[in-house]
Amino acid sequence: MTDETYTPPKVWTWDQESGGRFANINRPISGATHDKELPVGKHPMQLYSLGTPNGVKVTVLLEELLALGHEGAEYDAYLINIGNGDQFGSGFVEINPNSKIPALLDRSSKPHTRVFESGAILVYLAEKFGEFIPTDPAVRAECMSWLFWQMGSAPYLGGGFGHFYAYAPEKFEYPINRFAMEVKRQLDVLDKNLENRKFICGDEYNIADMAIHPWYGYLVLKNAYNAAEFLDVKSYKNVVRWAEEISERPAFKRGARVGRPPSGPEDNAIPERHDASDLD
Ligand SMILES: N[C@@H](CCC(=O)N[C@@H](CS)C(=O)NCC(=O)O)C(=O)O
């Protein structure tokens, strides 16, 4: 650990080496780095993604829609290996100029519809199929409030706390303290909201739950960033109860398996999904 204090230069310049474990993918410029067409399967929905919390939101919703009998939600899920820089391939950048998973191409519309940003994908699919999104304006406003809460909050959890606690090449008290405090505050917000509610917006499970669960449910149930003890996650009892209940949903279990290679013989994850039978 170095105790030198960093003095920023007058103008920032890119020192790739200082990027730590993400040095090979993090860049200060956008756009494609190489030509690569995206594969296309047989289903209406083409999902280019990975089994991270942002990716899982979408596969969970697609599996929930399929469980309700919406054949139009049939999908091919292709693996975008962000560690190898697949998000900078020309085909992917056409679908998401921001080069991040998940990205969706709906081939059932003419012309085809591209959607990027996981929150936008959830809203698009929920509206298209008329499921998991409230129609009453007041309840819908509550759903959107929590959905956008997740989109704004999770970067403090993953990019802030997770990054400095688990991934940064050196541990510094200042950023770890700052982001641990914010993440605990967020968990407390959720815990209080769930005190008298079964799901995030009330009695009905909707896209706000699907967005929040892969981040904060995962945090309280799965020792994310090896920080369960440090953050005392089990003390957020309402969040734990809510997270456990959602984890038991069959569609959640299916969707959460898509987008990564299995970590061992006990792990039933699949890197790609092209047919319902891939998960049966
Ligand atoms: N706000 C975006 C965030 C997406 C995001 O950060 N995706 C990460 C993986 S979870 C990614 O693709 N990272 C690749 C990179 O930063 O190059 C969303 O919700 O879709």
Side-chain angles (χ1 to χ4, degrees), residues 59 107 127 142 208 215 227:
T59 47
R107 299 179 75 247
E127 282 185 333
E142 184 72 3
W215 283 99

Side-chain angles (χ1 to χ4, degrees), residues 48-52 54-56 78-82 101-102 258-260:
Y48 303 98
S49 193
L50 189 65
T52 66
N54 289 322
V56 160
Y78 287 98
L79 193 69
I80 297 297
N81 187 328
I82 60 175
I101 67 91
V258 180
R260 58 189 173 83

Side-chain angles (χ1 to χ4, degrees), residues 3 12 34 130 244:
D3 49 8
W12 184 87
H34 57 282
E244 281 172 346

Side-chain angles (χ1 to χ4, degrees), residues 25-26 50 52-55 57 82 87-88 98-102 116-119 150-151 215:
I25 57 167
N26 287 351
L50 189 65
T52 66
N54 289 322
K57 293 172 194 172
I82 60 175
Q87 69 274 39
F88 304 115
N98 196 38
S99 285
K100 296 197 190 276
I101 67 91
F116 60 91
E117 283 292 320
S118 59
Q150 184 280 315
M151 301 304 296
W215 283 99

Side-chain angles (χ1 to χ4, degrees), residues 5 24 33 35-38 45 49 52 61 90 106 116 126 130 132 138 152 165 173 175 182 184 188 196 245 266:
T5 303
N24 62 331
T33 56
D35 284 334
K36 192 171 176 198
E37 290 302 306
L38 287 176
M45 299 296 162
S49 193
T52 66
L61 174 55
S90 53
D106 178 356
F116 60 91
F132 303 109
Y165 186 77
E173 188 177 348
E182 172 61 5
K184 285 183 72 71
D188 195 43
N196 298 310
E245 177 158 349
E266 300 296 298

